[in-house]
Amino acid sequence: MHSTKEKNDNNRDDLLLRMGLNDNKAGMEGLDKEKINKIIMEATRGSKFYGNELKKEKQVNQRIENMMQQKAQITSQQLRKAQLQSTSNYYARRFGVRAAMPGFIAKRLCPQLTIVPPNFDKYQAVSREVKEILADYDPNFMAMSLDEAYLNITKHLQERQNWPEDKRKYFIKTGNSLENDKPGEEVNKVSEQERSIPPLLFNDIPPDLHPQGNPFQANSEEQNNPQILQNAIVFGTSAEEAVKEIRFRIEQKTTLTASAGIAPNTMLAKVCSDKNKPNGQYQILPNREAVMDFIKDLPIRKVSGIGKVTEKMLKALGIITCTELYQQRALLSLLFSETSWHHFLHISLGLGSTLLARDGDRKSMSVERTFSEMSKAEEQYSLCQELCSELAQDLQKEGLKGRTVTIKLKNVNFEVKTRASTVSSVVSTAEEIFAIAKDLLRTEIDADFPHPLRLRLMGVRLSSFSNEEDKKQQQRSIIGFLQAGNQALSATGHMLEKTDKDQFLKPLEMSQKKSFFDKKRSERKWTQQDTFKCEAVDTQSLQTSDSFQVLKKMNENLETSENSNKSQIFTCPICFREQGSISLEAFNKHVDACLDGPSINEDRKMFSCSHASSTEVNRKENVHHSFSLHEKQDYETHQKHSGINSVDCAELVETKGNPPKAESVGALSDKHSKEECAVFPRESFNTEQHYQNSFSTVSLEDMGSSQQESPQPYLPEVIITHALVCPICNLEQKTSDLTLFNMHVDICLNKGMIQELRKDSLANQPTKSTKSTDTSGQVQKTATKTKRPGMYSSSKKVKPNSPRHTLDIFFK
DNA sequence: GCGGATCAC
DNA sequence: TATGGTGATCCGC
């Protein structure tokens, strides 16, 4: 049914194509030949584009078909297992939102400008002005592009609570006087004020929500709607009001409107900001119900990252909304890569980044150009040279040098090719780049000889830039080399060499072939080493976009520092302020202060289900000790409760409708569900009550105040356990070494996995799976190569239709 | 590392 | 109506 329109479109395109060609042949009497030719040309040109589109469409359809075939081969048993895994995986990551800070705002400024950019300078100027305003609310705001920015206004809101009215008062200007937009300053233009018209700002507010309108609204947010005076507006202290203020100021200063979204994370904020385009705003309150309510019927296509193709693929699986995305998570875990699946799961749960990553290092730089058909080789070479020059200029502006040159060619049929070559040392000049690009181009020209390349686009790209670490490392090595005497050199030479190597081997490269958890382990080791060397938390590494990563790193660093038992210089991953040389304890206190108030509220609400019990409680005690430990606890907790205190209500419904049998829960959890665990205080509070409490207590407005007080009245008592108790075997471990402890937990965990694997009679494992066999074999000896049950053994995509599909092997 | 593909802006 | 340019990332190889 969904394809009816598409079919029509396709038919029409086919028709167009054929008509064009037939016209050419048959000729048409009585018509202007010139005109016909033109029409034919256009039709032909068009047909090439559409032809390519059709081709791409077919490819996508093929992908979908493959996917469906794979789906058909999934047994119900596999699905049940995946169901279990997908939930536990999620639990393993739940703490990722620990750093959740409410009050993120995505601002989308003047989208209409992108449509009409007649004057780029002005565009930039406006963008700057705008940005000046934004800095008042979050100096660390992240500008995504000229017309889009993310702000974290949490801090602003805290301060704003105590602001006098004057500071939130803005005068309405007419005309285009842009002289000042500071609050509270008098404008001596009475006549203008009298003529002033209210800004368009409140278009998005339904009439019944206007300040004087709705009694309910007035009741709860009495002071939070702007009071429109004769010539001024006083904005309230809430997030909504602050954002209205921002939009008001933008409109006043630039005469352009902006839309905004207020949400607990950037992903949601972005979706929100689209909700009331182009001149409105939308807020999702930072509590789980609000988020879930918003997410419920949200078409996945609305979410950044889900494009046309992904939409179509998921649609083929009957997934259109986020709810459906969540419901199908088990299936998706079997059909998609881990990365994709995590992304899906995050979307379906309304999770997103809560950190504004700094502008990461650029990965590549390129120049490309479209033109009318070019078939002469000489022209192509000279164009290539030109592009290389342009690129070299751009590179010079940023002082970049790279090792990989890529050319991009699009022929008149819109088929795109890229050809790359990586050299051993960095290049940056036009000549250097052209020397490489030329060869690539020549290869392509030669390949088609004697036919010329009929190009409509050419591009040149440089990547594999030498990063800061490389530079530092080089420096360090050189300095070390220069400084070290012969004696020292011979003594440390060996070690240095090894260290250098490891330093260059970043986690991903290092463990490409390893399992997900192997990889994580490698990362940790790598980070430890790195931290050891630097003796400080690497700020850069903390500035990743993913709170999960950040927290993990933070933890790893802490873990390391704990081991080394030294006072160090820490940088708080939340506020990004350097904390000087303080003790770990003091640093933890600081991080707590940064995290606790809003984030705990946020976190708890995001994840506590009204039936959930103890899972949240154990976070605080361990968050600064070991995240890897924490994962296991989460996992274990999930296992223990056998999905009953499940992640959210969707899960709950499922569970209710289909009571879990031991079989569906799986051997591992069945085993563990019998165990008690001292680490988890069970039912130490009534979650229902907690939920109500936090719901009524916490809103953006009073987040700030709650943060300033140390105790959180509605928080359940948090049991702090310093002894390391294995969450699996429930035995206190006589070690304070977290590495050892983690090893122990791994072994405990893998007992379960091994059992499970046995149950699945792995005896007939194909030779392809030696990796798995080896790993599980080693598991019993050493914990360093363990895998958590239920995870893919490969970090890479589980290839559809591949006989090497790890899960196939597992379940065969 | 390469090449194709997808996605965002 | 005709279909851009830049950059990032993922995935399979």
Side-chain angles (χ1 to χ4, degrees), chain A residues 389-418:
Chain A
S389 300
E390 285 181 35
L391 180 59
Q393 279 184 1
D394 292 345
L395 287 165
Q396 206 202 345
K397 282 178 202 159
E398 298 193 28
L400 291 168
K401 296 169 193 280
R403 288 167 45 236
T404 302
V405 174
T406 307
I407 63 165
K408 177 176 174 181
L409 304 173
K410 189 193 280 183
N411 68 18
V412 289
N413 292 318
F414 291 89
E415 292 160 338
V416 179
K417 263 184 200 171
T418 60

PDB file of all heavy atoms in Angstrom, chain A residues 389-418:
ATOM      1  N   SER A 389      44.938  23.240  -5.595  1.00  0.00           N
ATOM      2  CA  SER A 389      45.411  24.541  -5.128  1.00  0.00           C
ATOM      3  C   SER A 389      44.449  25.149  -4.125  1.00  0.00           C
ATOM      4  O   SER A 389      44.848  25.651  -3.070  1.00  0.00           O
ATOM      5  CB  SER A 389      45.567  25.506  -6.316  1.00  0.00           C
ATOM      6  OG  SER A 389      46.482  24.987  -7.235  1.00  0.00           O
ATOM      7  N   GLU A 390      43.181  25.094  -4.484  1.00  0.00           N
ATOM      8  CA  GLU A 390      42.183  25.638  -3.564  1.00  0.00           C
ATOM      9  C   GLU A 390      42.241  24.933  -2.223  1.00  0.00           C
ATOM     10  O   GLU A 390      42.190  25.559  -1.166  1.00  0.00           O
ATOM     11  CB  GLU A 390      40.781  25.486  -4.167  1.00  0.00           C
ATOM     12  CG  GLU A 390      40.494  26.470  -5.280  1.00  0.00           C
ATOM     13  CD  GLU A 390      39.083  26.284  -5.823  1.00  0.00           C
ATOM     14  OE1 GLU A 390      38.183  25.955  -5.016  1.00  0.00           O
ATOM     15  OE2 GLU A 390      38.900  26.445  -7.039  1.00  0.00           O
ATOM     16  N   LEU A 391      42.331  23.641  -2.320  1.00  0.00           N
ATOM     17  CA  LEU A 391      42.374  22.861  -1.087  1.00  0.00           C
ATOM     18  C   LEU A 391      43.600  23.242  -0.261  1.00  0.00           C
ATOM     19  O   LEU A 391      43.512  23.432   0.956  1.00  0.00           O
ATOM     20  CB  LEU A 391      42.386  21.365  -1.413  1.00  0.00           C
ATOM     21  CG  LEU A 391      42.422  20.416  -0.222  1.00  0.00           C
ATOM     22  CD1 LEU A 391      41.222  20.638   0.681  1.00  0.00           C
ATOM     23  CD2 LEU A 391      42.462  18.966  -0.683  1.00  0.00           C
ATOM     24  N   ALA A 392      44.711  23.364  -0.947  1.00  0.00           N
ATOM     25  CA  ALA A 392      45.946  23.707  -0.246  1.00  0.00           C
ATOM     26  C   ALA A 392      45.807  25.054   0.475  1.00  0.00           C
ATOM     27  O   ALA A 392      46.277  25.220   1.605  1.00  0.00           O
ATOM     28  CB  ALA A 392      47.106  23.740  -1.223  1.00  0.00           C
ATOM     29  N   GLN A 393      45.130  25.969  -0.178  1.00  0.00           N
ATOM     30  CA  GLN A 393      44.905  27.276   0.462  1.00  0.00           C
ATOM     31  C   GLN A 393      44.087  27.123   1.737  1.00  0.00           C
ATOM     32  O   GLN A 393      44.425  27.679   2.781  1.00  0.00           O
ATOM     33  CB  GLN A 393      44.176  28.204  -0.502  1.00  0.00           C
ATOM     34  CG  GLN A 393      45.089  28.850  -1.521  1.00  0.00           C
ATOM     35  CD  GLN A 393      44.331  29.843  -2.382  1.00  0.00           C
ATOM     36  OE1 GLN A 393      43.132  30.038  -2.179  1.00  0.00           O
ATOM     37  NE2 GLN A 393      45.019  30.450  -3.341  1.00  0.00           N
ATOM     38  N   ASP A 394      42.992  26.382   1.595  1.00  0.00           N
ATOM     39  CA  ASP A 394      42.146  26.166   2.769  1.00  0.00           C
ATOM     40  C   ASP A 394      42.914  25.463   3.876  1.00  0.00           C
ATOM     41  O   ASP A 394      42.753  25.776   5.061  1.00  0.00           O
ATOM     42  CB  ASP A 394      40.921  25.335   2.387  1.00  0.00           C
ATOM     43  CG  ASP A 394      39.976  26.116   1.472  1.00  0.00           C
ATOM     44  OD1 ASP A 394      40.139  27.348   1.395  1.00  0.00           O
ATOM     45  OD2 ASP A 394      39.103  25.490   0.861  1.00  0.00           O
ATOM     46  N   LEU A 395      43.712  24.529   3.477  1.00  0.00           N
ATOM     47  CA  LEU A 395      44.485  23.784   4.472  1.00  0.00           C
ATOM     48  C   LEU A 395      45.448  24.707   5.207  1.00  0.00           C
ATOM     49  O   LEU A 395      45.618  24.610   6.419  1.00  0.00           O
ATOM     50  CB  LEU A 395      45.270  22.661   3.791  1.00  0.00           C
ATOM     51  CG  LEU A 395      44.472  21.457   3.310  1.00  0.00           C
ATOM     52  CD1 LEU A 395      45.294  20.623   2.350  1.00  0.00           C
ATOM     53  CD2 LEU A 395      44.013  20.607   4.487  1.00  0.00           C
ATOM     54  N   GLN A 396      46.004  25.595   4.450  1.00  0.00           N
ATOM     55  CA  GLN A 396      46.995  26.482   5.049  1.00  0.00           C
ATOM     56  C   GLN A 396      46.371  27.380   6.102  1.00  0.00           C
ATOM     57  O   GLN A 396      46.973  27.664   7.137  1.00  0.00           O
ATOM     58  CB  GLN A 396      47.656  27.314   3.956  1.00  0.00           C
ATOM     59  CG  GLN A 396      49.056  27.760   4.337  1.00  0.00           C
ATOM     60  CD  GLN A 396      49.479  28.988   3.541  1.00  0.00           C
ATOM     61  OE1 GLN A 396      48.853  29.326   2.539  1.00  0.00           O
ATOM     62  NE2 GLN A 396      50.529  29.646   3.988  1.00  0.00           N
ATOM     63  N   LYS A 397      45.136  27.785   5.823  1.00  0.00           N
ATOM     64  CA  LYS A 397      44.447  28.647   6.788  1.00  0.00           C
ATOM     65  C   LYS A 397      44.351  27.982   8.155  1.00  0.00           C
ATOM     66  O   LYS A 397      44.362  28.650   9.177  1.00  0.00           O
ATOM     67  CB  LYS A 397      43.044  28.969   6.274  1.00  0.00           C
ATOM     68  CG  LYS A 397      43.024  30.041   5.201  1.00  0.00           C
ATOM     69  CD  LYS A 397      41.600  30.267   4.706  1.00  0.00           C
ATOM     70  CE  LYS A 397      41.602  30.901   3.320  1.00  0.00           C
ATOM     71  NZ  LYS A 397      40.320  30.674   2.616  1.00  0.00           N
ATOM     72  N   GLU A 398      44.210  26.700   8.135  1.00  0.00           N
ATOM     73  CA  GLU A 398      44.091  26.000   9.415  1.00  0.00           C
ATOM     74  C   GLU A 398      45.362  25.252   9.770  1.00  0.00           C
ATOM     75  O   GLU A 398      45.380  24.503  10.744  1.00  0.00           O
ATOM     76  CB  GLU A 398      42.901  25.029   9.367  1.00  0.00           C
ATOM     77  CG  GLU A 398      41.580  25.749   9.160  1.00  0.00           C
ATOM     78  CD  GLU A 398      40.389  24.857   9.415  1.00  0.00           C
ATOM     79  OE1 GLU A 398      40.501  23.911  10.221  1.00  0.00           O
ATOM     80  OE2 GLU A 398      39.341  25.100   8.796  1.00  0.00           O
ATOM     81  N   GLY A 399      46.360  25.447   8.967  1.00  0.00           N
ATOM     82  CA  GLY A 399      47.638  24.812   9.257  1.00  0.00           C
ATOM     83  C   GLY A 399      47.578  23.300   9.313  1.00  0.00           C
ATOM     84  O   GLY A 399      48.171  22.681  10.197  1.00  0.00           O
ATOM     85  N   LEU A 400      46.843  22.746   8.382  1.00  0.00           N
ATOM     86  CA  LEU A 400      46.643  21.304   8.417  1.00  0.00           C
ATOM     87  C   LEU A 400      47.500  20.581   7.382  1.00  0.00           C
ATOM     88  O   LEU A 400      47.720  21.075   6.275  1.00  0.00           O
ATOM     89  CB  LEU A 400      45.169  20.969   8.162  1.00  0.00           C
ATOM     90  CG  LEU A 400      44.195  21.363   9.268  1.00  0.00           C
ATOM     91  CD1 LEU A 400      42.767  21.249   8.793  1.00  0.00           C
ATOM     92  CD2 LEU A 400      44.419  20.500  10.501  1.00  0.00           C
ATOM     93  N   LYS A 401      47.934  19.432   7.793  1.00  0.00           N
ATOM     94  CA  LYS A 401      48.639  18.530   6.875  1.00  0.00           C
ATOM     95  C   LYS A 401      48.070  17.138   7.069  1.00  0.00           C
ATOM     96  O   LYS A 401      47.761  16.735   8.191  1.00  0.00           O
ATOM     97  CB  LYS A 401      50.135  18.511   7.187  1.00  0.00           C
ATOM     98  CG  LYS A 401      50.853  19.838   6.991  1.00  0.00           C
ATOM     99  CD  LYS A 401      52.257  19.753   7.596  1.00  0.00           C
ATOM    100  CE  LYS A 401      52.913  21.124   7.709  1.00  0.00           C
ATOM    101  NZ  LYS A 401      53.491  21.597   6.449  1.00  0.00           N
ATOM    102  N   GLY A 402      47.956  16.428   5.973  1.00  0.00           N
ATOM    103  CA  GLY A 402      47.363  15.094   6.086  1.00  0.00           C
ATOM    104  C   GLY A 402      48.059  14.083   5.206  1.00  0.00           C
ATOM    105  O   GLY A 402      48.908  14.423   4.388  1.00  0.00           O
ATOM    106  N   ARG A 403      47.666  12.845   5.397  1.00  0.00           N
ATOM    107  CA  ARG A 403      48.358  11.770   4.687  1.00  0.00           C
ATOM    108  C   ARG A 403      47.501  11.084   3.634  1.00  0.00           C
ATOM    109  O   ARG A 403      48.012  10.328   2.821  1.00  0.00           O
ATOM    110  CB  ARG A 403      48.848  10.722   5.697  1.00  0.00           C
ATOM    111  CG  ARG A 403      50.029  11.199   6.543  1.00  0.00           C
ATOM    112  CD  ARG A 403      50.265  10.260   7.723  1.00  0.00           C
ATOM    113  NE  ARG A 403      50.203   8.883   7.325  1.00  0.00           N
ATOM    114  CZ  ARG A 403      49.398   7.968   7.856  1.00  0.00           C
ATOM    115  NH1 ARG A 403      48.599   8.308   8.844  1.00  0.00           N
ATOM    116  NH2 ARG A 403      49.414   6.731   7.432  1.00  0.00           N
ATOM    117  N   THR A 404      46.206  11.317   3.668  1.00  0.00           N
ATOM    118  CA  THR A 404      45.350  10.625   2.711  1.00  0.00           C
ATOM    119  C   THR A 404      44.718  11.607   1.730  1.00  0.00           C
ATOM    120  O   THR A 404      44.041  12.557   2.133  1.00  0.00           O
ATOM    121  CB  THR A 404      44.236   9.856   3.443  1.00  0.00           C
ATOM    122  OG1 THR A 404      44.834   8.936   4.355  1.00  0.00           O
ATOM    123  CG2 THR A 404      43.366   9.092   2.449  1.00  0.00           C
ATOM    124  N   VAL A 405      44.930  11.366   0.475  1.00  0.00           N
ATOM    125  CA  VAL A 405      44.316  12.179  -0.572  1.00  0.00           C
ATOM    126  C   VAL A 405      43.243  11.344  -1.249  1.00  0.00           C
ATOM    127  O   VAL A 405      43.481  10.192  -1.608  1.00  0.00           O
ATOM    128  CB  VAL A 405      45.350  12.635  -1.612  1.00  0.00           C
ATOM    129  CG1 VAL A 405      44.664  13.358  -2.762  1.00  0.00           C
ATOM    130  CG2 VAL A 405      46.401  13.516  -0.959  1.00  0.00           C
ATOM    131  N   THR A 406      42.063  11.929  -1.370  1.00  0.00           N
ATOM    132  CA  THR A 406      40.958  11.218  -1.999  1.00  0.00           C
ATOM    133  C   THR A 406      40.415  12.071  -3.143  1.00  0.00           C
ATOM    134  O   THR A 406      40.187  13.271  -2.959  1.00  0.00           O
ATOM    135  CB  THR A 406      39.818  10.975  -0.992  1.00  0.00           C
ATOM    136  OG1 THR A 406      40.341  10.337   0.173  1.00  0.00           O
ATOM    137  CG2 THR A 406      38.730  10.112  -1.603  1.00  0.00           C
ATOM    138  N   ILE A 407      40.220  11.477  -4.268  1.00  0.00           N
ATOM    139  CA  ILE A 407      39.521  12.206  -5.319  1.00  0.00           C
ATOM    140  C   ILE A 407      38.115  11.639  -5.453  1.00  0.00           C
ATOM    141  O   ILE A 407      37.856  10.469  -5.153  1.00  0.00           O
ATOM    142  CB  ILE A 407      40.238  12.140  -6.685  1.00  0.00           C
ATOM    143  CG1 ILE A 407      40.303  10.700  -7.197  1.00  0.00           C
ATOM    144  CG2 ILE A 407      41.619  12.772  -6.603  1.00  0.00           C
ATOM    145  CD1 ILE A 407      40.664  10.610  -8.660  1.00  0.00           C
ATOM    146  N   LYS A 408      37.236  12.499  -5.876  1.00  0.00           N
ATOM    147  CA  LYS A 408      35.848  12.094  -6.040  1.00  0.00           C
ATOM    148  C   LYS A 408      35.429  12.427  -7.461  1.00  0.00           C
ATOM    149  O   LYS A 408      35.674  13.540  -7.939  1.00  0.00           O
ATOM    150  CB  LYS A 408      34.988  12.859  -5.036  1.00  0.00           C
ATOM    151  CG  LYS A 408      33.501  12.600  -5.119  1.00  0.00           C
ATOM    152  CD  LYS A 408      32.813  13.350  -3.989  1.00  0.00           C
ATOM    153  CE  LYS A 408      31.304  13.277  -4.080  1.00  0.00           C
ATOM    154  NZ  LYS A 408      30.666  14.037  -2.990  1.00  0.00           N
ATOM    155  N   LEU A 409      34.821  11.495  -8.112  1.00  0.00           N
ATOM    156  CA  LEU A 409      34.402  11.694  -9.492  1.00  0.00           C
ATOM    157  C   LEU A 409      32.931  11.327  -9.623  1.00  0.00           C
ATOM    158  O   LEU A 409      32.504  10.275  -9.125  1.00  0.00           O
ATOM    159  CB  LEU A 409      35.225  10.807 -10.431  1.00  0.00           C
ATOM    160  CG  LEU A 409      36.748  10.948 -10.367  1.00  0.00           C
ATOM    161  CD1 LEU A 409      37.414   9.877 -11.221  1.00  0.00           C
ATOM    162  CD2 LEU A 409      37.176  12.340 -10.801  1.00  0.00           C
ATOM    163  N   LYS A 410      32.202  12.218 -10.258  1.00  0.00           N
ATOM    164  CA  LYS A 410      30.810  11.875 -10.558  1.00  0.00           C
ATOM    165  C   LYS A 410      30.627  12.003 -12.055  1.00  0.00           C
ATOM    166  O   LYS A 410      30.915  13.061 -12.629  1.00  0.00           O
ATOM    167  CB  LYS A 410      29.860  12.832  -9.825  1.00  0.00           C
ATOM    168  CG  LYS A 410      28.392  12.409  -9.901  1.00  0.00           C
ATOM    169  CD  LYS A 410      27.460  13.516  -9.442  1.00  0.00           C
ATOM    170  CE  LYS A 410      27.390  13.589  -7.929  1.00  0.00           C
ATOM    171  NZ  LYS A 410      26.419  14.633  -7.490  1.00  0.00           N
ATOM    172  N   ASN A 411      30.198  10.957 -12.667  1.00  0.00           N
ATOM    173  CA  ASN A 411      30.030  11.026 -14.119  1.00  0.00           C
ATOM    174  C   ASN A 411      28.663  11.589 -14.479  1.00  0.00           C
ATOM    175  O   ASN A 411      27.855  11.869 -13.597  1.00  0.00           O
ATOM    176  CB  ASN A 411      30.301   9.664 -14.767  1.00  0.00           C
ATOM    177  CG  ASN A 411      29.239   8.643 -14.389  1.00  0.00           C
ATOM    178  OD1 ASN A 411      28.150   8.995 -13.945  1.00  0.00           O
ATOM    179  ND2 ASN A 411      29.566   7.375 -14.559  1.00  0.00           N
ATOM    180  N   VAL A 412      28.452  11.747 -15.772  1.00  0.00           N
ATOM    181  CA  VAL A 412      27.203  12.395 -16.198  1.00  0.00           C
ATOM    182  C   VAL A 412      25.980  11.566 -15.853  1.00  0.00           C
ATOM    183  O   VAL A 412      24.864  12.062 -15.907  1.00  0.00           O
ATOM    184  CB  VAL A 412      27.226  12.684 -17.717  1.00  0.00           C
ATOM    185  CG1 VAL A 412      28.211  13.795 -18.021  1.00  0.00           C
ATOM    186  CG2 VAL A 412      27.548  11.418 -18.496  1.00  0.00           C
ATOM    187  N   ASN A 413      26.194  10.343 -15.477  1.00  0.00           N
ATOM    188  CA  ASN A 413      25.066   9.528 -15.031  1.00  0.00           C
ATOM    189  C   ASN A 413      24.892   9.578 -13.511  1.00  0.00           C
ATOM    190  O   ASN A 413      24.173   8.768 -12.934  1.00  0.00           O
ATOM    191  CB  ASN A 413      25.254   8.076 -15.472  1.00  0.00           C
ATOM    192  CG  ASN A 413      25.147   7.934 -16.976  1.00  0.00           C
ATOM    193  OD1 ASN A 413      24.266   8.546 -17.599  1.00  0.00           O
ATOM    194  ND2 ASN A 413      26.048   7.178 -17.564  1.00  0.00           N
ATOM    195  N   PHE A 414      25.592  10.491 -12.950  1.00  0.00           N
ATOM    196  CA  PHE A 414      25.476  10.716 -11.504  1.00  0.00           C
ATOM    197  C   PHE A 414      26.047   9.581 -10.663  1.00  0.00           C
ATOM    198  O   PHE A 414      25.751   9.458  -9.485  1.00  0.00           O
ATOM    199  CB  PHE A 414      24.019  10.964 -11.090  1.00  0.00           C
ATOM    200  CG  PHE A 414      23.493  12.276 -11.594  1.00  0.00           C
ATOM    201  CD1 PHE A 414      22.898  12.357 -12.839  1.00  0.00           C
ATOM    202  CD2 PHE A 414      23.615  13.417 -10.842  1.00  0.00           C
ATOM    203  CE1 PHE A 414      22.424  13.559 -13.317  1.00  0.00           C
ATOM    204  CE2 PHE A 414      23.137  14.623 -11.315  1.00  0.00           C
ATOM    205  CZ  PHE A 414      22.542  14.705 -12.555  1.00  0.00           C
ATOM    206  N   GLU A 415      26.841   8.766 -11.285  1.00  0.00           N
ATOM    207  CA  GLU A 415      27.485   7.709 -10.509  1.00  0.00           C
ATOM    208  C   GLU A 415      28.744   8.267  -9.860  1.00  0.00           C
ATOM    209  O   GLU A 415      29.561   8.910 -10.521  1.00  0.00           O
ATOM    210  CB  GLU A 415      27.826   6.521 -11.417  1.00  0.00           C
ATOM    211  CG  GLU A 415      26.607   5.800 -11.930  1.00  0.00           C
ATOM    212  CD  GLU A 415      26.890   4.965 -13.166  1.00  0.00           C
ATOM    213  OE1 GLU A 415      27.882   5.256 -13.867  1.00  0.00           O
ATOM    214  OE2 GLU A 415      26.114   4.022 -13.428  1.00  0.00           O
ATOM    215  N   VAL A 416      28.887   8.026  -8.599  1.00  0.00           N
ATOM    216  CA  VAL A 416      29.979   8.612  -7.828  1.00  0.00           C
ATOM    217  C   VAL A 416      31.033   7.562  -7.507  1.00  0.00           C
ATOM    218  O   VAL A 416      30.710   6.428  -7.168  1.00  0.00           O
ATOM    219  CB  VAL A 416      29.452   9.220  -6.510  1.00  0.00           C
ATOM    220  CG1 VAL A 416      30.588   9.810  -5.702  1.00  0.00           C
ATOM    221  CG2 VAL A 416      28.393  10.263  -6.792  1.00  0.00           C
ATOM    222  N   LYS A 417      32.261   7.987  -7.665  1.00  0.00           N
ATOM    223  CA  LYS A 417      33.385   7.117  -7.315  1.00  0.00           C
ATOM    224  C   LYS A 417      34.327   7.907  -6.432  1.00  0.00           C
ATOM    225  O   LYS A 417      34.537   9.094  -6.654  1.00  0.00           O
ATOM    226  CB  LYS A 417      34.172   6.763  -8.569  1.00  0.00           C
ATOM    227  CG  LYS A 417      33.862   5.461  -9.212  1.00  0.00           C
ATOM    228  CD  LYS A 417      34.826   5.262 -10.374  1.00  0.00           C
ATOM    229  CE  LYS A 417      34.285   4.235 -11.353  1.00  0.00           C
ATOM    230  NZ  LYS A 417      35.091   4.183 -12.575  1.00  0.00           N
ATOM    231  N   THR A 418      34.926   7.257  -5.478  1.00  0.00           N
ATOM    232  CA  THR A 418      36.028   7.899  -4.760  1.00  0.00           C
ATOM    233  C   THR A 418      37.241   6.993  -4.831  1.00  0.00           C
ATOM    234  O   THR A 418      37.121   5.764  -4.813  1.00  0.00           O
ATOM    235  CB  THR A 418      35.668   8.147  -3.279  1.00  0.00           C
ATOM    236  OG1 THR A 418      35.387   6.908  -2.648  1.00  0.00           O
ATOM    237  CG2 THR A 418      34.508   9.089  -3.125  1.00  0.00           C
TER     238      THR A 418
END
